[in-house]
Amino acid sequence: MTTADLHTLASAYAVHALDGQERAAFERHLVDCDACEQEVAEFTATAGRLALASTVRARPVMREQVLQRITTVRQVSPGAAPLERVRRGALRGGALARWALAASVAAAVFGGTAAWQYERAQDASREAARAQRQVEDVAGVLAAPDAKSRSAKVAGGAGTLVVSASRERAVFIASGMSAPPRGKVYQLWFADDGGKMRSAGLMDPDRSSQAVLMQGAVDGASGIGITVEPAGGSKQPTSTPVALLGVPA
């Protein structure tokens, strides 16, 4: 494959459309080609915007339907066989008191199961709503009329910082970053005046490509940094940054 051919693979590489041999050849070429590096970063940012722009909001009525229906679904008891033996014994012996006790126990079990299911449904609904808000916030920054971006190589891949001054928010888009060491995570930071670093959230250690809404307002930050920190993050950076990007003017 010629160098000219490799130059044409930037867009396919950005959306993970190359096979193993083509990807390896392009990554070797990417090390020494600034033009392709810039194209990959731009294509990655564009792909992220297009994907988020196509997100469809779930209908509000779906939540009520799920919560209503889940309380009417009867669950199979894990102790069905033993309960059946209890039922037959109670009928044979005519022990009404024991039958009433079994019925009350069953009611408690099924009632508790229904309550647990309802709580789980509520938790799932809240988590889905939170995720939806985050997707909308990311899409809002990427699609903002005043959005500006800056790209750089980051941990074996590419990273693009997108900032909207009107929204005072920033999004970091990663593509092809190497995984952090086991038990570690990439942490994002805002670099404020005087060199003070302010935590802006954690990246998903299991995803090499992702769009992260940075926590907190840009608030005049001069740049961002990315460090490797213990799982759960740190209050202040504990390692040398793997990347530093200035906030685009």
Side-chain angles (χ1 to χ4, degrees):
M1 185 175 295
T2 67
T3 300
D5 292 331
L6 290 170
H7 282 306
T8 66
L9 299 180
S11 58
Y13 177 81
V15 295
H16 308 285
L18 299 180
D19 61 28
Q21 185 176 358
E22 289 176 328
R23 182 180 182 87
F26 184 78
E27 287 180 342
R28 288 194 297 269
H29 167 75
L30 190 62
V31 173
D32 298 315
C33 183
D34 293 338
C36 283
E37 177 189 348
Q38 180 65 25
E39 283 193 355
V40 167
E42 292 173 352
F43 279 126
T44 299
T46 300
R49 295 189 188 195
L50 291 174
L52 291 170
S54 65
T55 300
V56 178
R57 179 192 293 270
R59 293 180 297 129
V61 71
M62 289 183 64
R63 175 179 181 275
E64 297 302 325
Q65 290 175 343
V66 170
L67 295 180
Q68 181 180 6
R69 291 179 183 177
I70 200 169
T71 59
T72 66
V73 178
R74 181 168 180 168
Q75 301 298 303
V76 177
S77 170
L83 286 177
E84 181 63 17
R85 288 196 295 271
V86 171
R87 186 184 68 82
R88 288 199 302 266
L91 290 176
R92 284 196 302 268
L96 182 60
R98 284 188 293 170
W99 173 252
L101 177 60
S104 65
V105 170
V109 170
F110 287 121
T113 299
W116 176 81
Q117 289 174 332
Y118 179 79
E119 291 174 0
R120 289 294 300 271
Q122 290 282 66
D123 291 342
S125 178
R126 285 191 290 268
E127 180 63 21
R130 185 197 65 79
Q132 180 66 27
R133 286 194 299 271
Q134 185 168 12
V135 167
E136 291 174 351
D137 289 341
V138 169
V141 173
L142 298 181
D146 65 340
K148 296 181 179 180
S149 64
R150 177 162 292 173
S151 302
K153 288 184 178 180
V154 181
T160 298
L161 174 65
V162 182
V163 177
S164 168
S166 62
R167 290 176 173 265
E168 271 288 288
R169 302 304 300 273
V171 170
F172 180 74
I173 302 173
S175 175
M177 287 179 60
S178 59
R182 179 173 296 184
K184 301 287 187 177
V185 66
Y186 289 121
Q187 185 164 355
L188 298 165
W189 306 88
F190 281 118
D192 292 328
D193 291 339
K196 183 179 179 180
M197 303 298 284
R198 169 168 47 101
S199 178
L202 306 177
M203 298 178 64
D204 187 338
D206 297 323
R207 298 177 59 190
S208 62
S209 299
Q210 55 190 292
V212 184
L213 178 69
M214 298 183 66
Q215 295 177 7
V218 177
D219 196 24
S222 60
I224 72 161
I226 306 172
T227 60
V228 178
E229 302 295 337
S234 303
K235 293 184 178 180
Q236 289 295 320
T238 63
S239 67
T240 303
V242 298
L244 294 170
L245 284 81
V247 171

